[in-house]
Amino acid sequence: MASVDDVRAGIARANQQATESIAALQQASSALEQAQGSLTMVTQGSGHADAEQANGLLADAARAVDEVAQTVNAAISKAESYASGL
């Protein structure tokens, strides 16, 4: 069985990796928002259902990525709580 220090070190490594993933998720969210902005600009006023759906789907994707980042933050918090209780 791993020592308490080993478990804490493992949690710290996992949390570091999770923190790095949040940065990547934030970058992805920003890229999706930029894509949506670009699409909106070029399709504005077209009234075409496909363009509107594509725009909505990009917005949904950006929101989903933000939700994933929030979930990762919650996981980090829970892991830190667990480590502090050891």
Side-chain angles (χ1 to χ4, degrees), residues 39-85:
L39 184 61
T40 297
M41 213 167 21
V42 299
T43 61
Q44 193 170 19
S46 74
H48 197 278
D50 285 344
E52 291 175 11
Q53 283 184 324
N55 217 329
L57 289 168
L58 286 171
D60 290 347
R63 277 191 296 275
V65 170
D66 290 342
E67 288 176 13
V68 170
Q70 290 173 6
T71 302
V72 173
N73 269 322
I76 291 169
S77 178
K78 289 294 182 182
E80 288 173 348
S81 177
Y82 173 74
S84 70

Side-chain angles (χ1 to χ4, degrees), residues 14-32 65-66 68-70 72-73 76:
N15 282 350
Q16 178 60 38
Q17 292 166 331
T19 299
E20 291 169 7
S21 77
I22 291 172
L25 289 165
Q26 289 169 337
Q27 186 176 11
S29 178
S30 178
L32 287 165
V65 170
D66 290 342
V68 170
Q70 290 173 6
V72 173
N73 269 322
I76 291 169

